[in-house]
mmCIF file of all heavy atoms in Angstrom:
data_model
loop_
_atom_site.group_PDB
_atom_site.id
_atom_site.type_symbol
_atom_site.label_atom_id
_atom_site.label_comp_id
_atom_site.label_asym_id
_atom_site.label_seq_id
_atom_site.Cartn_x
_atom_site.Cartn_y
_atom_site.Cartn_z
ATOM 1 N N TYR A 41 -6.486 -1.643 5.447
ATOM 2 C CA TYR A 41 -7.457 -1.154 6.394
ATOM 3 C C TYR A 41 -8.739 -1.947 6.361
ATOM 4 O O TYR A 41 -9.828 -1.427 6.105
ATOM 5 C CB TYR A 41 -7.739 0.319 6.130
ATOM 6 C CG TYR A 41 -6.663 1.236 6.682
ATOM 7 C CD1 TYR A 41 -5.487 0.745 7.250
ATOM 8 C CD2 TYR A 41 -6.823 2.605 6.654
ATOM 9 C CE1 TYR A 41 -4.519 1.581 7.752
ATOM 10 C CE2 TYR A 41 -5.862 3.452 7.156
ATOM 11 C CZ TYR A 41 -4.705 2.939 7.705
ATOM 12 O OH TYR A 41 -3.743 3.762 8.206
ATOM 13 N N ALA A 79 1.235 0.565 9.166
ATOM 14 C CA ALA A 79 -0.226 0.487 8.978
ATOM 15 C C ALA A 79 -0.914 1.635 9.715
ATOM 16 O O ALA A 79 -1.874 2.211 9.210
ATOM 17 C CB ALA A 79 -0.752 -0.853 9.483
ATOM 18 N N ALA A 80 -0.419 1.993 10.869
ATOM 19 C CA ALA A 80 -1.037 3.080 11.640
ATOM 20 C C ALA A 80 -0.857 4.445 10.951
ATOM 21 O O ALA A 80 -1.701 5.308 11.064
ATOM 22 C CB ALA A 80 -0.464 3.129 13.044
ATOM 23 N N ARG A 81 0.245 4.598 10.260
ATOM 24 C CA ARG A 81 0.539 5.905 9.621
ATOM 25 C C ARG A 81 0.177 5.921 8.127
ATOM 26 O O ARG A 81 0.428 6.917 7.461
ATOM 27 C CB ARG A 81 1.998 6.238 9.796
ATOM 28 C CG ARG A 81 2.357 6.597 11.205
ATOM 29 C CD ARG A 81 3.639 7.363 11.250
ATOM 30 N NE ARG A 81 3.782 7.963 12.563
ATOM 31 C CZ ARG A 81 4.800 7.722 13.382
ATOM 32 N NH1 ARG A 81 5.784 6.909 13.000
ATOM 33 N NH2 ARG A 81 4.866 8.304 14.534
ATOM 34 N N VAL A 83 -2.721 6.068 6.418
ATOM 35 C CA VAL A 83 -3.675 7.155 6.120
ATOM 36 C C VAL A 83 -3.907 7.888 7.425
ATOM 37 O O VAL A 83 -4.663 7.438 8.279
ATOM 38 C CB VAL A 83 -5.005 6.608 5.548
ATOM 39 C CG1 VAL A 83 -5.948 7.776 5.261
ATOM 40 C CG2 VAL A 83 -4.762 5.792 4.304
ATOM 41 N N PRO A 84 -3.252 9.036 7.632
ATOM 42 C CA PRO A 84 -3.363 9.736 8.926
ATOM 43 C C PRO A 84 -4.641 10.564 9.086
ATOM 44 O O PRO A 84 -4.658 11.515 9.823
ATOM 45 C CB PRO A 84 -2.123 10.613 8.939
ATOM 46 C CG PRO A 84 -1.849 10.876 7.518
ATOM 47 C CD PRO A 84 -2.279 9.672 6.742
ATOM 48 N N ALA A 85 -5.690 10.199 8.431
ATOM 49 C CA ALA A 85 -6.938 10.967 8.482
ATOM 50 C C ALA A 85 -7.671 10.640 9.801
ATOM 51 O O ALA A 85 -7.616 9.532 10.304
ATOM 52 C CB ALA A 85 -7.838 10.605 7.314
ATOM 53 N N TYR A 88 -9.866 7.494 10.551
ATOM 54 C CA TYR A 88 -9.245 6.218 10.891
ATOM 55 C C TYR A 88 -8.637 6.201 12.307
ATOM 56 O O TYR A 88 -7.838 5.351 12.610
ATOM 57 C CB TYR A 88 -8.162 5.847 9.867
ATOM 58 C CG TYR A 88 -8.756 5.515 8.513
ATOM 59 C CD1 TYR A 88 -8.777 6.445 7.509
ATOM 60 C CD2 TYR A 88 -9.328 4.282 8.265
ATOM 61 C CE1 TYR A 88 -9.319 6.162 6.257
ATOM 62 C CE2 TYR A 88 -9.891 3.992 7.054
ATOM 63 C CZ TYR A 88 -9.872 4.933 6.061
ATOM 64 O OH TYR A 88 -10.421 4.636 4.835
ATOM 65 N N PHE A 89 -9.029 7.135 13.163
ATOM 66 C CA PHE A 89 -8.535 7.134 14.534
ATOM 67 C C PHE A 89 -8.848 5.855 15.287
ATOM 68 O O PHE A 89 -8.018 5.376 16.059
ATOM 69 C CB PHE A 89 -9.037 8.345 15.286
ATOM 70 C CG PHE A 89 -8.286 9.612 15.002
ATOM 71 C CD1 PHE A 89 -8.692 10.820 15.490
ATOM 72 C CD2 PHE A 89 -7.119 9.605 14.229
ATOM 73 C CE1 PHE A 89 -8.004 11.996 15.240
ATOM 74 C CE2 PHE A 89 -6.405 10.780 13.966
ATOM 75 C CZ PHE A 89 -6.855 11.957 14.475
ATOM 76 N N PRO A 90 -10.037 5.271 15.136
ATOM 77 C CA PRO A 90 -10.252 3.974 15.837
ATOM 78 C C PRO A 90 -9.254 2.912 15.472
ATOM 79 O O PRO A 90 -8.776 2.170 16.305
ATOM 80 C CB PRO A 90 -11.689 3.585 15.425
ATOM 81 C CG PRO A 90 -12.345 4.873 15.076
ATOM 82 C CD PRO A 90 -11.255 5.719 14.473
ATOM 83 N N LEU A 91 -8.923 2.827 14.188
ATOM 84 C CA LEU A 91 -7.917 1.863 13.706
ATOM 85 C C LEU A 91 -6.555 2.195 14.319
ATOM 86 O O LEU A 91 -5.861 1.302 14.818
ATOM 87 C CB LEU A 91 -7.835 1.888 12.214
ATOM 88 C CG LEU A 91 -6.680 1.054 11.606
ATOM 89 C CD1 LEU A 91 -7.080 -0.408 11.588
ATOM 90 C CD2 LEU A 91 -6.344 1.533 10.237
ATOM 91 N N ARG A 92 -6.173 3.458 14.305
ATOM 92 C CA ARG A 92 -4.892 3.845 14.875
ATOM 93 C C ARG A 92 -4.797 3.518 16.382
ATOM 94 O O ARG A 92 -3.745 3.097 16.853
ATOM 95 C CB ARG A 92 -4.611 5.344 14.675
ATOM 96 C CG ARG A 92 -4.404 5.702 13.226
ATOM 97 C CD ARG A 92 -4.089 7.149 13.104
ATOM 98 N NE ARG A 92 -2.647 7.286 12.998
ATOM 99 C CZ ARG A 92 -2.050 8.441 12.951
ATOM 100 N NH1 ARG A 92 -2.720 9.558 13.031
ATOM 101 N NH2 ARG A 92 -0.722 8.487 12.848
ATOM 102 N N LEU A 93 -5.906 3.699 17.071
ATOM 103 C CA LEU A 93 -5.906 3.376 18.508
ATOM 104 C C LEU A 93 -5.763 1.882 18.744
ATOM 105 O O LEU A 93 -5.057 1.449 19.661
ATOM 106 C CB LEU A 93 -7.190 3.901 19.164
ATOM 107 C CG LEU A 93 -7.253 5.426 19.303
ATOM 108 C CD1 LEU A 93 -8.658 5.867 19.677
ATOM 109 C CD2 LEU A 93 -6.225 5.889 20.313
ATOM 110 N N ARG A 94 -6.403 1.068 17.898
ATOM 111 C CA ARG A 94 -6.260 -0.398 18.016
ATOM 112 C C ARG A 94 -4.810 -0.812 17.775
ATOM 113 O O ARG A 94 -4.250 -1.630 18.521
ATOM 114 C CB ARG A 94 -7.152 -1.112 17.012
ATOM 115 C CG ARG A 94 -8.611 -1.041 17.292
ATOM 116 C CD ARG A 94 -9.393 -1.830 16.266
ATOM 117 N NE ARG A 94 -9.315 -3.234 16.501
ATOM 118 C CZ ARG A 94 -10.169 -3.928 17.271
ATOM 119 N NH1 ARG A 94 -11.142 -3.303 17.862
ATOM 120 N NH2 ARG A 94 -10.032 -5.196 17.438
ATOM 121 N N LEU A 95 -4.199 -0.258 16.740
ATOM 122 C CA LEU A 95 -2.835 -0.621 16.417
ATOM 123 C C LEU A 95 -1.860 -0.063 17.448
ATOM 124 O O LEU A 95 -0.859 -0.738 17.752
ATOM 125 C CB LEU A 95 -2.469 -0.107 15.014
ATOM 126 C CG LEU A 95 -3.259 -0.720 13.869
ATOM 127 C CD1 LEU A 95 -2.862 -0.101 12.551
ATOM 128 C CD2 LEU A 95 -3.105 -2.243 13.835
ATOM 129 N N ALA A 96 -2.133 1.086 18.033
ATOM 130 C CA ALA A 96 -1.307 1.627 19.097
ATOM 131 C C ALA A 96 -1.366 0.741 20.334
ATOM 132 O O ALA A 96 -0.368 0.508 20.999
ATOM 133 C CB ALA A 96 -1.698 3.067 19.417
ATOM 134 N N ALA A 97 -2.541 0.230 20.631
ATOM 135 C CA ALA A 97 -2.686 -0.691 21.783
ATOM 136 C C ALA A 97 -1.899 -1.997 21.543
ATOM 137 O O ALA A 97 -1.250 -2.520 22.448
ATOM 138 C CB ALA A 97 -4.139 -0.995 22.043
ATOM 139 N N PRO A 114 4.930 9.667 19.508
ATOM 140 C CA PRO A 114 4.618 10.507 18.330
ATOM 141 C C PRO A 114 3.348 10.108 17.591
ATOM 142 O O PRO A 114 2.592 10.954 17.127
ATOM 143 C CB PRO A 114 5.851 10.308 17.410
ATOM 144 C CG PRO A 114 6.936 9.872 18.319
ATOM 145 C CD PRO A 114 6.272 9.096 19.424
ATOM 146 N N LEU A 115 3.090 8.828 17.539
ATOM 147 C CA LEU A 115 1.890 8.314 16.890
ATOM 148 C C LEU A 115 0.660 8.836 17.623
ATOM 149 O O LEU A 115 -0.339 9.253 17.005
ATOM 150 C CB LEU A 115 1.912 6.805 16.839
ATOM 151 C CG LEU A 115 0.686 6.106 16.206
ATOM 152 C CD1 LEU A 115 0.693 6.355 14.721
ATOM 153 C CD2 LEU A 115 0.747 4.624 16.489
ATOM 154 N N LEU A 116 0.688 8.812 18.931
ATOM 155 C CA LEU A 116 -0.450 9.256 19.742
ATOM 156 C C LEU A 116 -0.567 10.749 19.737
ATOM 157 O O LEU A 116 -1.697 11.325 19.658
ATOM 158 C CB LEU A 116 -0.310 8.731 21.173
ATOM 159 C CG LEU A 116 -0.371 7.204 21.340
ATOM 160 C CD1 LEU A 116 0.011 6.794 22.739
ATOM 161 C CD2 LEU A 116 -1.725 6.670 20.944
ATOM 162 N N GLU A 118 0.223 12.821 17.443
ATOM 163 C CA GLU A 118 -0.327 13.283 16.157
ATOM 164 C C GLU A 118 -1.841 13.386 16.203
ATOM 165 O O GLU A 118 -2.420 14.279 15.597
ATOM 166 C CB GLU A 118 0.060 12.292 15.035
ATOM 167 C CG GLU A 118 1.464 12.407 14.556
ATOM 168 C CD GLU A 118 1.784 11.347 13.531
ATOM 169 O OE1 GLU A 118 0.849 10.773 12.906
ATOM 170 O OE2 GLU A 118 2.965 11.048 13.319
ATOM 171 N N MET A 119 -2.464 12.476 16.936
ATOM 172 C CA MET A 119 -3.934 12.495 17.008
ATOM 173 C C MET A 119 -4.442 13.666 17.813
ATOM 174 O O MET A 119 -5.570 14.118 17.605
ATOM 175 C CB MET A 119 -4.451 11.178 17.586
ATOM 176 C CG MET A 119 -4.278 10.019 16.658
ATOM 177 S SD MET A 119 -5.145 8.557 17.178
ATOM 178 C CE MET A 119 -3.889 7.726 18.064
ATOM 179 N N LEU A 143 -13.352 0.477 12.599
ATOM 180 C CA LEU A 143 -12.037 0.838 12.079
ATOM 181 C C LEU A 143 -12.009 2.268 11.591
ATOM 182 O O LEU A 143 -10.970 2.899 11.605
ATOM 183 C CB LEU A 143 -11.635 -0.112 10.944
ATOM 184 C CG LEU A 143 -11.399 -1.561 11.327
ATOM 185 C CD1 LEU A 143 -10.962 -2.369 10.121
ATOM 186 C CD2 LEU A 143 -10.347 -1.662 12.417
ATOM 187 N N LEU A 166 -3.492 5.762 26.633
ATOM 188 C CA LEU A 166 -2.400 5.007 26.012
ATOM 189 C C LEU A 166 -1.062 5.699 26.206
ATOM 190 O O LEU A 166 -0.047 5.041 26.455
ATOM 191 C CB LEU A 166 -2.663 4.825 24.513
ATOM 192 C CG LEU A 166 -3.509 3.624 24.128
ATOM 193 C CD1 LEU A 166 -3.900 3.687 22.656
ATOM 194 C CD2 LEU A 166 -2.793 2.344 24.410
#
Side-chain angles (χ1 to χ4, degrees):
Y41 280 6
R81 288 200 167 121
V83 180
Y88 292 99
F89 280 173
L91 173 79
R92 291 183 98 184
L93 288 168
R94 289 182 78 89
L95 296 178
L115 180 70
L116 295 171
E118 283 176 20
M119 289 191 266
L143 292 182
L166 274 171

